Amino acid sequence: MKIDLTSRENIFQEDNVEFKNKNFIFGKNGSGKSTLCDLIKMQKHLYRTEINSNHELVEVKENGKSVLSDKQEGKFDVRIFQGFESVIGENNSLNAIALSNGNKDIEKKLKPLVKELEELEGKKQIEDSNYSKATQNYSKQKKKIDKWYSDAAKAIKQNTQYQIDPNYNKNKFEKDLNKSKRVENLEELNNIIKETGKKPVDNYFLSNLDLEEMLNGVNNILVKTVEIPQKCNELNTSEKEGFARQGMSLHEENDDCLFCGNKLTRERLNKLNQHFNEEYQKLEEEVLSAKFEKITLKKINQQDFYTKFNVEEINIMILEKEKEINKFIENLLNAINQKKEDITKNFNILELEIPQTIELQMKIDKLIRDNNLFGENLNKNINDAKESIKCHLISIECEKFNFIFEESELTNLKRLIPDLTKINKDIEAKNREIRELKGQQKDTSEIALLINERLKRAGKEDLQLKKIDNDGFERYEIQDGENEVRSIRGISTGEKNIIAFLYFIYSLGDIENQQNKSKILIFDDPMNSNDDTMQYLIITELQKLYSGNDNNKFNPQKDYFLCLTHNVHFYLNVQPHGNHKDKNGKTKYDKINFFRIENQKFRLIKNEKEDFKTNYAGLWIELSELCERNLKYAILNSMRRIIETFIKFNNLKKEDFYRENELYLKLFNVNCHAIDDLTQEQFTETADDLKRIFAEIFKENGFENHVKNYWTHN
């Protein structure tokens, strides 16, 4: 939220200032806090404002009501607490926000309204008679259907075959009517509700054979042949080659041939070796090593699966795939056997369709996955099955009762019931008009009770409000703990202030805001002339408010909260305590704006180091501000207060601290000067001299670092 400051350039040296939803602003008296309040109300208030004859900012009123501003976009319901006078009226009565000029014309306006109300109530009596007859017929049919609700629910509950809800009753049946639906898979659903948990089915793999690689390997063998440089011409058939090849393995050189009886000469053996050379032997070995066996694919066991999942179809597909693969392997074996019979022959490659297992494997995987998922959600699936069966049974009951016809009859009877809405609305509107007229004077008695209770808890039993009537207007007198009336002149400013403060707080949730606008809540020095107990009460109530405990009073998401003060103690205690980082790493200085008005500027406090920590630290910050403005007499006064506080806190002897230095005694010995009469002091030192002397006295006492830590202008 941005506030334009240019119209008050004599007070603020900045063009604008921006606020978050929560803001704490410290500024000495005269720094412009009240001026800021006026600027916010002029720029952001939902209602029009003007300056009255007393130079005060007030809302424009017409007929006792506030007037909406011309441009309502970006506007808020601005509420400012500025002490007793901002809430309590001059007649010492609690200011009722909705109260305008009293109730002097209420009685006169009420008479014709009451007569009109009596005429409307007469018409309503006639319509009530017709209404009664029609509702009797409707009720009879309604009871008939209600009895069926109970009977049907009982029938479904007692049907133990399907294990429906044992607590099923009429109300549940009536709610379930819109779910009525016949099912075709009743047997399957019945099997589901009887299921017990099973172990998850392990993954299933059809085969790890690489059929494509097998085919390629066979084809590679089939197309291979052997070049024989010196071939034995007599071995001109595959049978003869086979016979000779086998004989070579049975004979050695000079052995008698087992067939013809002749000697196996070296020459003959060399010739055979040249025929069956190394290339021939290599191909022969490759052919002989090509071995394939038919496979048997494992079937799926139905017992491992839930009843819902029938594995018969998958097993048929597995068997068919087994046959297809084995047929493929058989073709490979036949081709290899042919190659064995004639190794040197160049065969054509096999053009076989490779059996595909991916689609079947996916179906098996899906079956297992669906089965296991069903098991993981078995309880839900059983409940869903029961629900479907229940809806099926409801459908049967509806058909037996002919529910559609009976419900239609009920609808027709309902149409015959006269509609009393208009006459009731007219009567309600007239009553509302009367209530609104009576309610023009707002009753604040409930808020007064809350104030009394809060004051009692704070120990102020001698400060209690009692409502009295005076010509129809509310007035409150102040009583002590003995029910004795206290003179309004005897009520202190602090006591008036706390009553006004509590009324302001409690009325935030009761503000009439027909525009439903967000609020800007401003507390301008709320702690004024209050004792310690009341200060604690004010701090506690403000903390509850800006924490968002009651969104009707303050919603941190859309409303704005500004607390302005000149009191360091109050400033330190009213703000959120601690500076811990939240889970997003943000401190209160990231989420809330803390300002200090210094030298006509809003200084944004960004971290704990820049902020006050004690009242004493506030004195040093005040001194720094005065030094910037070069206000000699005020600088000296501030230095005296710091020295006095420092000496008392550290339990130092004054004569030791001043060291009998005539210059120190002259300037800083607070017992020798009247603080409020500085303008009468005569001294020649300049502001720079004062700063130097002030630093020296701390340094000579061994507290040089203390000055460096606290004083930014040293």
Side-chain angles (χ1 to χ4, degrees):
M1 179 179 67
K2 183 180 292 187
I3 301 300
D4 188 349
L5 306 175
T6 55
S7 62
R8 297 293 186 273
E9 60 182 4
N10 59 320
I11 297 177
F12 301 115
Q13 294 183 8
E14 296 171 299
D15 292 338
N16 58 69
V17 60
E18 290 190 22
F19 295 108
K20 293 181 179 178
N21 291 91
K22 298 177 186 179
N23 307 269
F24 294 89
I25 304 167
F26 178 85
K28 290 294 185 179
N29 289 333
S31 62
K33 297 191 299 296
S34 297
T35 300
L36 175 64
C37 295
D38 288 346
L39 288 174
I40 294 175
K41 192 157 190 175
M42 283 189 290
Q43 296 176 29
K44 297 297 182 181
H45 196 30
L46 177 65
Y47 300 104
R48 232 183 284 167
T49 59
E50 64 182 5
I51 304 296
N52 64 12
S53 57
N54 295 325
H55 302 287
E56 299 170 332
L57 185 68
V58 296
E59 292 181 6
V60 176
K61 300 278 187 177
E62 290 183 4
N63 298 323
K65 294 184 177 181
S66 299
V67 180
L68 289 173
S69 61
D70 296 331
K71 296 181 179 179
Q72 296 180 34
E73 292 185 7
K75 295 290 185 175
F76 299 81
D77 188 3
V78 180
R79 301 289 163 176
I80 303 176
F81 177 78
Q82 292 177 306
F84 175 79
E85 296 299 332
S86 68
V87 178
I88 305 298
E90 60 180 4
N91 293 322
N92 300 311
S93 61
L94 293 183
N95 177 27
I97 295 172
L99 187 62
S100 55
N101 292 323
N103 60 349
K104 57 184 179 181
D105 296 324
I106 290 178
E107 185 176 355
K108 180 179 178 182
K109 294 178 180 179
L110 278 177
K111 289 182 179 179
L113 295 179
V114 171
K115 184 177 180 181
E116 292 171 8
L117 179 61
E118 291 174 351
E119 292 175 355
L120 288 171
E121 289 177 340
K123 292 180 181 179
K124 187 175 184 300
Q125 288 181 355
I126 299 174
E127 294 192 19
D128 282 345
S129 177
N130 296 331
Y131 179 85
S132 178
K133 295 176 183 178
T135 52
Q136 287 178 5
N137 295 330
Y138 174 80
S139 297
K140 183 178 179 181
Q141 178 66 9
K142 184 73 168 60
K143 288 179 181 178
K144 179 181 179 181
I145 294 178
D146 285 345
K147 184 179 183 303
W148 170 70
Y149 288 161
S150 298
D151 294 343
K154 184 178 180 181
I156 292 174
K157 179 174 66 175
Q158 292 178 345
N159 190 336
T160 56
Q161 177 185 359
Y162 299 114
Q163 307 173 28
I164 309 301
D165 185 359
N167 298 316
Y168 202 64
N169 56 31
K170 168 192 168 184
N171 293 334
K172 293 180 179 179
F173 176 81
E174 189 175 356
K175 290 180 180 178
D176 290 338
L177 271 173
N178 62 335
K179 303 177 184 177
S180 171
K181 184 180 180 182
R182 286 270 192 171
V183 296
E184 301 298 331
N185 59 336
L186 190 60
E187 183 178 355
E188 177 186 330
L189 295 173
N190 194 30
N191 288 333
I192 289 176
I193 66 177
K194 297 175 183 176
E195 291 280 13
T196 57
K198 293 179 180 290
K199 290 174 59 178
V201 178
D202 295 333
N203 291 333
Y204 174 97
F205 299 100
L206 272 171
S207 172
N208 58 0
L209 293 178
D210 189 338
L211 299 180
E212 183 177 4
E213 183 180 353
M214 292 168 62
L215 177 60
N216 291 336
V218 170
N219 281 333
N220 187 46
I221 293 173
L222 292 177
V223 298
K224 285 184 178 180
T225 185
V226 178
E227 291 293 334
I228 304 176
Q230 295 184 12
K231 186 175 182 181
C232 296
N233 294 328
E234 62 273 20
L235 303 179
N236 54 8
T237 67
S238 60
E239 290 82 0
K240 293 178 180 179
E241 280 191 335
F243 175 80
R245 184 78 178 100
Q246 186 177 8
M248 287 182 68
S249 65
L250 298 174
H251 297 80
E252 294 183 357
E253 184 180 345
N254 294 322
D255 282 350
D256 293 334
C257 176
L258 296 176
F259 182 73
C260 66
N262 294 325
K263 292 285 186 184
L264 179 61
T265 65
R266 175 180 293 276
E267 179 184 1
R268 180 61 177 170
L269 187 60
N270 288 338
K271 190 173 183 180
L272 288 172
N273 283 331
Q274 289 177 1
H275 184 97
F276 298 107
N277 58 22
E278 183 179 352
E279 186 179 354
Y280 184 99
Q281 293 178 33
K282 184 177 180 182
L283 177 57
E284 181 185 40
E285 183 181 348
E286 189 175 352
V287 171
L288 293 175
S289 66
K291 297 178 181 180
F292 306 108
E293 294 182 1
K294 293 185 179 182
I295 65 169
T296 300
L297 297 180
K298 184 179 67 174
K299 293 183 175 58
I300 295 177
N301 190 351
Q302 177 67 62
Q303 293 182 352
D304 294 337
F305 287 77
Y306 292 98
T307 309
K308 174 182 174 66
F309 302 95
N310 192 337
V311 303
E312 182 179 355
E313 182 180 352
I314 288 290
N315 279 334
I316 292 173
M317 296 172 69
I318 291 174
L319 183 59
E320 290 176 350
K321 187 59 65 177
E322 178 186 298
K323 291 178 180 179
E324 183 183 356
I325 293 173
N326 284 335
K327 180 64 177 175
F328 177 82
I329 293 174
E330 184 180 345
N331 289 330
L332 298 182
L333 289 171
N334 290 337
I336 288 297
N337 288 334
Q338 290 178 13
K339 185 69 173 178
K340 285 179 182 178
E341 294 175 359
D342 193 355
I343 291 177
T344 60
K345 182 179 178 179
N346 186 348
F347 290 87
N348 294 328
I349 65 171
L350 296 177
E351 294 184 358
L352 299 178
E353 184 176 347
I354 300 174
Q356 299 297 319
T357 60
I358 294 177
E359 184 176 351
L360 178 55
Q361 183 69 56
M362 290 175 63
K363 289 183 178 180
I364 295 172
D365 292 345
K366 184 178 186 306
L367 177 68
I368 294 174
R369 186 169 58 251
D370 291 346
N371 177 81
N372 292 345
L373 183 62
F374 181 87
E376 290 176 9
N377 300 285
L378 183 59
N379 290 336
K380 179 181 182 303
N381 291 324
I382 291 174
N383 290 333
D384 290 346
K386 288 183 178 181
E387 182 71 12
S388 297
I389 293 174
K390 179 184 69 176
C391 296
H392 177 76
L393 297 178
I394 292 172
S395 177
I396 294 175
E397 294 296 330
C398 288
E399 291 174 7
K400 288 161 53 177
F401 181 66
N402 199 1
F403 173 64
I404 294 177
F405 170 79
E406 298 293 348
E407 186 181 39
S408 176
E409 184 68 14
L410 183 69
T411 302
N412 292 333
L413 290 173
K414 187 175 183 179
R415 290 195 187 101
L416 298 177
I417 299 175
D419 186 3
L420 302 181
T421 303
K422 185 178 184 308
I423 188 69
N424 287 334
K425 282 186 176 180
D426 290 343
I427 291 174
E428 175 59 28
K430 195 59 62 178
N431 277 321
R432 184 167 57 250
E433 192 176 353
I434 292 172
R435 286 196 304 271
E436 289 176 353
L437 187 60
K438 290 180 178 179
Q440 286 184 7
Q441 178 175 306
K442 188 174 181 64
D443 183 4
T444 57
S445 57
E446 291 187 9
I447 294 180
L449 291 174
L450 293 173
I451 294 174
N452 286 341
E453 179 63 26
R454 187 66 182 91
L455 290 172
K456 283 182 181 179
R457 295 204 311 270
K460 298 294 292 185
E461 294 186 359
D462 62 340
L463 193 64
Q464 297 290 295
L465 303 172
K466 182 179 180 181
K467 181 180 177 181
I468 58 174
D469 292 325
N470 183 4
D471 296 330
F473 292 94
E474 287 187 342
R475 295 288 184 269
Y476 288 87
E477 59 186 16
I478 309 298
Q479 294 186 346
D480 60 15
E482 304 297 328
N483 296 324
E484 294 292 330
V485 178
R486 295 178 58 182
S487 169
I488 198 66
R489 294 180 179 83
I491 307 300
S492 69
T493 302
E495 289 174 324
K496 293 178 182 177
N497 186 66
I498 198 61
I499 291 173
F501 174 80
L502 289 175
Y503 178 80
F504 183 88
I505 290 289
Y506 290 136
S507 66
L508 289 175
D510 195 32
I511 290 173
E512 292 183 357
N513 185 0
Q514 296 179 355
Q515 304 298 322
N516 195 28
K517 288 288 185 178
S518 299
K519 295 190 284 287
I520 299 176
L521 307 181
I522 306 174
F523 294 86
D524 184 8
D525 267 333
M527 193 181 73
N528 183 27
S529 301
N530 291 109
D531 59 29
D532 291 341
T533 302
M534 294 301 99
Q535 290 180 18
Y536 174 77
L537 187 154
I538 291 174
I539 289 171
T540 301
E541 292 299 324
L542 286 178
Q543 288 175 335
K544 286 195 298 184
L545 179 66
Y546 70 66
S547 296
N549 292 346
D550 186 347
N551 281 353
N552 290 327
K553 293 180 180 178
F554 174 72
N555 186 336
Q557 304 302 320
K558 65 175 185 175
D559 297 336
Y560 287 86
F561 172 91
L562 286 83
C563 182
L564 303 91
T565 182
H566 71 281
N567 187 305
V568 176
H569 174 79
F570 178 73
Y571 172 81
L572 292 173
N573 285 277
V574 75
Q575 61 179 260
H577 296 159
N579 192 33
H580 304 295
K581 294 182 179 180
D582 62 15
K583 61 182 181 181
N584 296 319
K586 294 185 177 181
T587 68
K588 66 181 180 181
Y589 293 94
D590 299 308
K591 297 177 282 189
I592 301 173
N593 270 352
F594 293 85
F595 289 102
R596 197 158 56 235
I597 304 177
E598 296 179 352
N599 299 325
Q600 299 181 300
K601 293 182 179 180
F602 286 88
R603 180 187 174 188
L604 180 63
I605 308 302
K606 299 178 180 178
N607 51 58
E608 187 177 26
K609 185 177 181 181
E610 296 180 1
D611 206 352
F612 294 130
K613 293 181 180 64
T614 61
N615 289 351
Y616 178 67
L619 293 176
W620 285 92
I621 290 174
E622 178 186 59
L623 176 59
S624 297
E625 181 182 353
L626 293 172
C627 288
E628 285 186 8
R629 298 167 66 181
N630 207 34
L631 301 175
K632 187 171 73 167
Y633 287 98
I635 289 172
L636 180 59
N637 181 29
S638 180
M639 289 177 174
R640 286 174 172 173
R641 292 167 62 197
I642 290 172
I643 291 174
E644 179 185 19
T645 304
F646 183 82
I647 290 174
K648 288 182 178 179
F649 184 79
N650 290 280
N651 197 24
L652 301 175
K653 292 183 178 181
K654 194 184 306 179
E655 55 271 20
D656 292 340
F657 188 84
Y658 287 114
R659 300 176 178 274
E660 298 182 357
N661 189 309
E662 182 180 352
L663 182 59
Y664 297 160
L665 291 170
K666 170 189 172 186
L667 292 173
F668 301 129
N669 191 339
V670 293
N671 287 342
C672 297
H673 303 277
I675 294 177
D676 296 330
D677 195 27
L678 291 175
T679 56
Q680 302 301 318
E681 301 289 343
Q682 298 296 323
F683 62 95
T684 59
E685 287 79 4
T686 65
D688 289 336
D689 291 333
L690 292 176
K691 287 186 265 186
R692 176 180 52 77
I693 296 169
F694 180 69
E696 283 178 358
I697 190 173
F698 277 90
K699 181 177 180 180
E700 291 179 7
N701 281 280
F703 297 108
E704 182 178 7
N705 288 335
H706 182 78
V707 177
K708 290 180 179 179
N709 288 335
Y710 276 96
W711 194 17
T712 60
H713 288 270
N714 183 23

